[in-house]
Amino acid sequence: MGYRRRPYFILSGMLGVVSMLFISLHSKLQLVFAILALTAGNLAGAVADVTVDACVAQNSISHPSRAADMQSLCTLSYSFGGLLGFSISGVFIHLIGPKGVFGLLTLPAALISLVGILLSEPQVSNFAYNEVNQKFHDAAKSMWTTLKGPDVWRPCLYMYISTTVSLNINEGLFYWYTDSKEGPSFSKEAVGYIFSMGAIGSFLGALLYQNVLKNRSLRDMLFWTQLLFGLAGMLDLMLVQRMNLRFGIPDYLFIVIGEAVSQMIYRLKWMPLLVLCSKLCPSGIEGTFFALLMSIGNLGDLSSSWGGGLLLHVLNVTRIKFEDLWLAILIRNILRVSPLCLLFLVPKGDPNAFMLSTKDEAETSEPDNIELASLIHSVDDKF
């Protein structure tokens, strides 16, 4: 007897609690152990996130008309959590210090375990270990077959490229924000509040998509959001050039507006891709395949950070040198609109109406559930 998803929530929450306590209770923690503890904490959050993605992807396929609604709900929850975290992080760091904050982070991890305890799902029985290898092989084969289809690899390629070319130069902007000579000389707490305004923008973007834009054509949505995303980056250029002061707009207000607008547009750009990704998942491995698609986006974020760091290095933008920061912003903004020439890679119509075509669908009416996440918990998961 066993469960499909409850153990993942419980174990990931326990891992998060242990890792955060380990950091908070050691006064002189070596770098290697600190990195391992932080990696374990991120792993705990990632496992819980993938488990939620599995539920959303599976329900998006079984209830296609609700796919956009479920993604909107997830995004709203994510934005609300980000708003809360950014708003109180600076305050708690000031009051109880970094180690106290790590100790406080055991509470969210414990809540993840609580979700697993309270989650209601049927038990599965008759587990046979000799079928694990076969199910793993079937899952890998199904994933590879799906990835080779043009309906899948083309949107994945667009998602990776559009994320990568939006170079992440936030490190240079952060040092400029806190610089007392050339920048506005904000405190770290003030920067945290600025990022919380970005969470509000993301929240508004999810609401706007849910109530107004969720049935629009995917290509039209990506065209306008990609274009506006590049134009929104010009607000950073105006700020670094101090043009806002010429119009009598204070730095803090201008940065807050720019952060909120940029995050709202980014969320509007990302939401239809999330809905499409949930429809690209083949039956039986929804959660595993959705996690794979999201890892492509994460790889794009990583490539964006590497590219942004390289650009700042080439332009000699450091903690105290900002002469060419404006050029880095301009290059980033130009690259942000470059994916417009790749829109042919994504489907034309409504992402909610997209259905993945597979050759195997006609051969079997009741495919076995071969989801990797449940390989060690089920044998015959037929629904």
Side-chain angles (χ1 to χ4, degrees):
M1 300 277 300
Y3 294 96
R4 286 169 51 82
R5 296 186 175 95
R6 290 182 65 181
Y8 297 102
F9 284 116
I10 297 174
L11 294 177
S12 62
M14 292 175 60
L15 178 61
V17 169
V18 171
S19 59
M20 293 300 102
L21 280 178
F22 182 77
I23 296 175
S24 63
L25 295 178
H26 287 75
S27 58
K28 295 182 179 179
L29 189 62
Q30 294 184 2
L31 179 61
V32 175
F33 293 110
I35 292 175
L36 290 176
L38 290 173
T39 301
N42 287 329
L43 176 63
V47 170
D49 185 49
V50 169
T51 307
V52 172
D53 288 340
C55 299
V56 174
Q58 184 176 5
N59 289 322
S60 296
I61 294 176
S62 59
H63 304 86
S65 62
R66 292 294 184 182
D69 299 331
M70 285 183 280
Q71 292 295 343
S72 297
L73 178 61
C74 291
T75 301
L76 290 172
S77 302
Y78 175 82
S79 300
F80 180 76
L83 173 62
L84 182 61
F86 283 126
S87 299
I88 66 177
S89 59
V91 176
F92 279 110
I93 289 177
H94 180 73
L95 292 177
I96 60 179
K99 288 187 176 296
V101 171
F102 279 115
L104 197 62
L105 288 176
T106 58
L107 296 179
L111 289 177
I112 294 177
S113 292
L114 182 62
V115 169
I117 295 173
L118 299 178
L119 182 65
S120 177
E121 62 175 350
Q123 291 183 322
V124 291
S125 57
N126 300 324
F127 177 69
Y129 286 95
N130 57 355
E131 295 192 13
V132 170
N133 290 334
Q134 182 61 39
K135 282 181 171 290
F136 186 90
H137 178 268
D138 292 342
K141 181 180 179 180
S142 179
M143 290 174 64
W144 175 243
T145 301
T146 305
L147 275 175
K148 290 191 299 182
D151 289 342
V152 177
W153 71 259
R154 288 160 63 98
C156 290
L157 180 61
Y158 176 85
M159 183 168 59
Y160 173 75
I161 294 176
S162 65
T163 305
T164 300
V165 297
S166 181
L167 300 181
N168 186 348
I169 57 173
N170 288 338
E171 183 178 358
L173 287 172
F174 174 81
Y175 289 126
W176 185 85
Y177 288 159
T178 57
D179 187 74
S180 58
K181 295 181 179 180
E182 299 188 34
S185 188
F186 290 148
S187 65
K188 294 179 175 61
E189 291 81 3
V191 175
Y193 285 122
I194 290 172
F195 289 146
S196 70
M197 295 300 104
I200 292 179
S202 179
F203 188 87
L204 294 176
L207 287 177
L208 182 61
Y209 177 80
Q210 170 64 22
N211 294 290
V212 180
L213 301 173
K214 67 178 181 180
N215 294 321
R216 297 299 179 93
S217 167
L218 180 60
R219 286 191 186 179
D220 290 343
M221 278 288 297
L222 292 178
F223 174 84
W224 289 108
T225 53
Q226 199 73 52
L227 180 62
L228 292 174
F229 193 46
L231 295 177
M234 291 299 179
L235 295 175
D236 290 332
L237 182 61
M238 295 175 62
L239 178 69
V240 171
Q241 295 295 92
R242 316 305 282 156
M243 296 177 64
N244 61 297
L245 298 179
R246 301 175 191 174
F247 294 102
I249 304 176
D251 288 330
Y252 191 83
L253 177 61
F254 194 81
I255 294 175
V256 164
I257 293 174
E259 182 69 16
V261 170
S262 295
Q263 290 301 317
M264 181 179 69
I265 297 174
Y266 177 80
R267 185 55 55 189
L268 288 174
K269 180 176 80 77
W270 192 242
M271 286 292 293
L273 288 175
L274 288 177
V275 176
L276 178 62
C277 286
S278 67
K279 298 298 188 69
L280 294 177
C281 302
S283 178
I285 55 171
E286 299 93 342
T288 303
F289 199 80
F290 190 82
L292 174 64
L293 297 180
M294 291 300 97
S295 69
I296 295 174
N298 293 333
L299 180 61
D301 290 332
L302 184 61
S303 302
S304 172
S305 298
W306 286 344
L310 179 62
L311 178 62
L312 293 175
H313 176 74
V314 170
L315 297 178
N316 197 28
V317 177
T318 65
R319 296 187 178 188
I320 57 175
K321 295 181 180 180
F322 307 101
E323 290 82 4
D324 291 328
L325 180 59
W326 69 271
L327 182 58
I329 296 173
L330 182 61
I331 293 174
R332 179 202 65 181
N333 296 340
I334 293 174
L335 290 176
R336 277 184 176 182
V337 299
S338 60
L340 292 177
C341 61
L342 299 176
L343 286 176
F344 65 90
L345 293 174
V346 298
K348 292 182 180 180
D350 178 8
N352 295 286
F354 181 84
M355 295 297 293
L356 180 66
S357 58
T358 59
K359 296 180 180 179
D360 298 333
E361 277 184 331
E363 299 176 3
T364 177
S365 58
E366 292 183 351
D368 289 338
N369 190 320
I370 54 173
E371 183 176 349
L372 289 177
S374 60
L375 286 178
I376 62 173
H377 292 291
S378 64
V379 176
D380 295 317
D381 294 332
K382 295 182 179 180
F383 298 97

